[in-house]
Amino acid sequence: MVKVTVAGAAGGIGQPLSLLLKLNTNVTELALFDIVNAKGVAADLSHINTPAVVTGYQPKDKEDKTAIVEALKGTDIVIIPAGVPRKPGMTRADLFNINASIIRDLVANIGRTAPNAAILIISNPVNSTVPIAAQVLKKLGVFNPKKLFGVTTLDSVRAETFFGELTNTNPNTLKGKISVIGGHSGDTIVPLINYNKSVGLISSKSQYDEFVHRVQFGGDEVVKAKNGAGSATLSMAYAGYRFAEYVIDSLSGRSKNEPVPDSAYIYLPGISGGKEFSNAHLQGVDFFSVPVFLSNGEISSFIDPFKSLTVTNDEKKLIEVALKGLKGSIDQGVQFVDASKL
């Protein structure tokens, strides 16, 4: 018995993501919210012969606040792909001013209506939108860091795909075997493959550097290929569902305190051992993407890659660069909420 709410369900990510959620037989109720077309998407999906009852919610006008409240009532999981996509020449940071307000207002509604729900944030720039969500929930006095996730799974999906291409390996066999840590934007993304042990599979340092760059900036390939008409929506929908499925499984009792083969961008001080990990390895940065364990729809613990993996000097340099970018993005998100009225 799991209710999932998708906020931004009629968009390029929201529609295929909602389709995948409708196919999950552990989802009993699927609430779709968007400012337009949510009811149409819900009607379409409701014809699929799986158990989830699909309902659509959209405001009657700009003043209507009831639709989002109805969509959130009793929900166990909220997935947020809402926001504007990247356009040619636009970085994730450029999205901030538009998407920050969207996330702030959606999360405020979650905090007031469904404070116990797990929140999965897809909306970019994730490096800032997750700190925004955390700060909003703190202001409302309902912040549970174990239930707030920045979805960075697309970085893992790309790493598996691109490494598979390089090494002539079936990417399905790489699931959970490549940890991608850090953030979810450009050089804040750090894939850990231990190049020293990959010699022979990846033939040269230049090939390794090319692999890292492609994982970090793979989204640019899609934006360019779509000639500015869109960004990575289908692959992001798949990646978002892949992570959501782990959370759904943990709520359904199908998996108990098992490691998720994908990282999530989380608030480390709210997880046991997280603050110590941050101080020891991350220069005190509070938000960072690491592999997590789930239990009953929340984070029970995380995997310290510095203990479980051999982090090479090349990878340590990548982490140093990532931390510089993350600090600014996190501060920007926190300051945005501090200057806002809820």
Side-chain angles (χ1 to χ4, degrees), residues 269-336:
I271 313 300
S272 178
K275 189 63 178 177
E276 293 78 4
F277 168 72
S278 172
N279 289 336
H281 301 292
L282 308 179
Q283 302 172 24
V285 168
D286 286 340
F287 291 88
F288 202 76
S289 189
V290 287
V292 295
F293 287 81
L294 296 175
S295 180
N296 197 31
E298 65 181 34
I299 302 163
S300 57
S301 59
F302 68 95
I303 296 174
D304 180 345
F306 291 90
K307 288 183 179 178
S308 60
L309 301 170
T310 301
V311 180
T312 66
N313 287 331
D314 284 328
E315 291 165 349
K316 288 178 181 177
K317 290 177 182 177
L318 292 173
I319 292 169
E320 289 178 7
V321 173
L323 292 174
K324 292 178 182 178
L326 287 173
K327 286 178 181 177
S329 296
I330 293 166
D331 289 345
Q332 186 182 26
V334 171
Q335 290 166 11
F336 174 80

Side-chain angles (χ1 to χ4, degrees), residues 81-87 90 94-96 98-99 102 123-125 231:
V84 299
R86 281 197 299 161
K87 296 177 181 178
M90 180 185 287
D94 294 330
L95 300 179
F96 180 84
I98 300 173
N99 287 353
I102 294 172
S123 308
N124 278 318
S231 57

Side-chain angles (χ1 to χ4, degrees), residues 39 50 64 138 163 169 183 187 211 254-255 309 313 316:
K39 291 184 177 180
T50 55
D64 182 12
K138 286 179 183 179
F163 192 82
T169 304
D187 55 16
F211 162 76
R254 288 178 57 187
S255 61
L309 301 170
N313 287 331
K316 288 178 181 177

Side-chain angles (χ1 to χ4, degrees), residues 175-195:
K175 187 176 180 180
K177 295 182 180 179
I178 301 176
S179 291
V180 184
I181 64 172
H184 184 56
S185 171
D187 55 16
T188 68
I189 301 168
V190 182
L192 303 179
I193 62 167
N194 195 333
Y195 168 66

Side-chain angles (χ1 to χ4, degrees), residues 79-126:
I79 309 175
I80 309 179
V84 299
R86 281 197 299 161
K87 296 177 181 178
M90 180 185 287
T91 67
R92 286 181 173 87
D94 294 330
L95 300 179
F96 180 84
N97 288 331
I98 300 173
N99 287 353
S101 297
I102 294 172
I103 294 300
R104 178 196 61 201
D105 296 343
L106 282 172
V107 173
N109 277 295
I110 296 168
R112 296 184 179 111
T113 306
N116 294 318
I119 305 173
L120 282 60
I121 295 181
I122 293 173
S123 308
N124 278 318
V126 165

